[in-house]
Amino acid sequence: MAKLKFGRMVLSMCQTNCYFVSPENQKEVVLIDPADQGGQIYEALKSKGLQVAAILLTHGHFDHIWGANELRRLSGAPIYAYEEEKEVCEDASKNVSDQAGRPETVAADNYLKDGAQLDLAGMHFQLIATPGHTKGSCCYYMEKEKVLFAGDTLFEGSVGRTDFPTGSMGRLVHSIKERLLVLPEDTIVYPGHGDETTIADEKKYNPYCQ
C-alpha cells in the first residue's frame, strides 16, 4: 500500500479545513473542500511542486466552496460532489453565501451517486452519502488507508449544525450511526472544522453517537 501525504490549510472566516492528499513522491494531489482563496491554494501547492488533479466537495456551504471556481480555473481540475447537493451548490441562498456577504455558486463537473468509487491521482475514494448537515452532505472514505474526510457531518465531540436550508438533525444523527460508526474503529476522521479524531473516540465520547 502506497504511503500517503496529507496537508491542511485553514481558510475562510469560518476556519474551515481544506485538505490535500497525495501518494508519497507524486506531484498530483486531490483537494477536499477549497474553502476560500482559490488562487492562494493554487499558488501554495504550486510552490511545493504540486498540482491539483481533482477537487472533492463534501457539501455546498459557502465556507467550503468559496475557493472552488477559482481553483478549478487555475488548475483545470474537475469538481466532484454528491448528486443530492446540486441544489445547494448552485443556489446562493441555500448555500448561505448570500447571507455571508459574498454570493457564490458552483456547478460540479461530476455529480456522483452514493457509493461512487473514484480513482484519482493514484488513490481510491468512496463517496458515502451522509445527509443531515445539508440534504446532500457526503464523506469521502479511503478504505485501505482507513481515512475519512467527514466535512461538517462529524466533528471531534460534536456534529455539524442543521439550522441552515435543507438541514435535519434527525437525518444527520441517522447518517452518522448508520453510515460512519460502522467503519473500522481505527479510521482517522478529518473533519471540516477542528482537529482530527477517530471513529473509536467518537463512539466513546461524542454525545450524538450514543
Side-chain angles (χ1 to χ4, degrees):
M1 183 170 63
K3 187 175 181 181
L4 300 183
K5 293 180 66 176
F6 295 86
R8 178 179 72 156
M9 304 178 195
V10 181
L11 301 166
S12 90
M13 61 187 184
C14 297
Q15 296 292 285
T16 303
N17 291 328
C18 168
Y19 297 104
F20 54 97
V21 56
S22 65
E24 196 170 42
N25 302 318
Q26 289 199 28
K27 298 301 185 184
E28 286 193 324
V29 305
V30 171
L31 190 131
I32 298 95
D33 288 344
D36 204 354
Q37 301 168 316
Q40 178 181 316
I41 296 171
Y42 176 78
E43 292 299 334
L45 293 173
K46 184 179 177 182
S47 71
K48 298 178 183 295
L50 301 173
Q51 57 190 52
V52 181
I55 300 164
L56 306 182
L57 302 181
T58 60
H59 64 292
H61 278 157
F62 68 94
D63 60 314
H64 291 253
I65 67 163
W66 261 342
N69 286 319
E70 186 176 18
L71 182 60
R72 174 171 55 185
R73 179 180 63 80
L74 291 169
S75 68
I79 296 174
Y80 296 80
Y82 177 36
E83 63 182 0
E84 292 297 322
E85 193 69 348
K86 185 178 193 303
E87 180 183 1
V88 174
C89 287
E90 299 182 18
D91 186 321
S93 63
K94 290 195 167 102
N95 67 36
V96 204
S97 60
D98 58 352
Q99 296 177 45
R102 280 171 53 197
E104 183 80 15
T105 62
V106 58
D109 300 282
N110 300 280
Y111 284 107
L112 306 169
K113 296 185 179 300
D114 182 23
Q117 307 287 329
L118 296 171
D119 289 300
L120 303 167
M123 298 171 289
H124 187 76
F125 300 81
Q126 178 187 349
L127 186 152
I128 300 176
T130 52
H133 179 58
T134 62
K135 73 174 188 176
S137 286
C138 73
C139 302
Y140 296 95
Y141 180 48
M142 304 181 79
E143 182 177 14
K144 289 182 179 179
E145 295 82 4
K146 295 183 181 177
V147 166
L148 181 77
F149 294 100
D152 287 3
T153 295
L154 181 64
F155 299 141
E156 181 186 22
S158 189
V159 298
R161 62 190 293 176
T162 57
D163 57 331
F164 286 151
T166 79
S168 164
M169 182 57 71
R171 292 189 77 189
L172 178 60
V173 171
H174 181 268
S175 291
I176 291 169
K177 291 183 175 180
E178 297 297 319
R179 304 305 304 275
L180 300 186
L181 298 189
V182 298
L183 298 175
E185 291 198 342
D186 56 346
T187 298
I188 299 172
V189 179
Y190 291 104
H193 304 270
D195 295 328
E196 67 187 67
T197 183
T198 64
I199 292 295
D201 280 353
E202 297 318 298
K203 279 185 174 180
K204 187 173 183 180
Y205 301 114
N206 191 323
Y208 295 93
C209 297
Q210 308 307 313

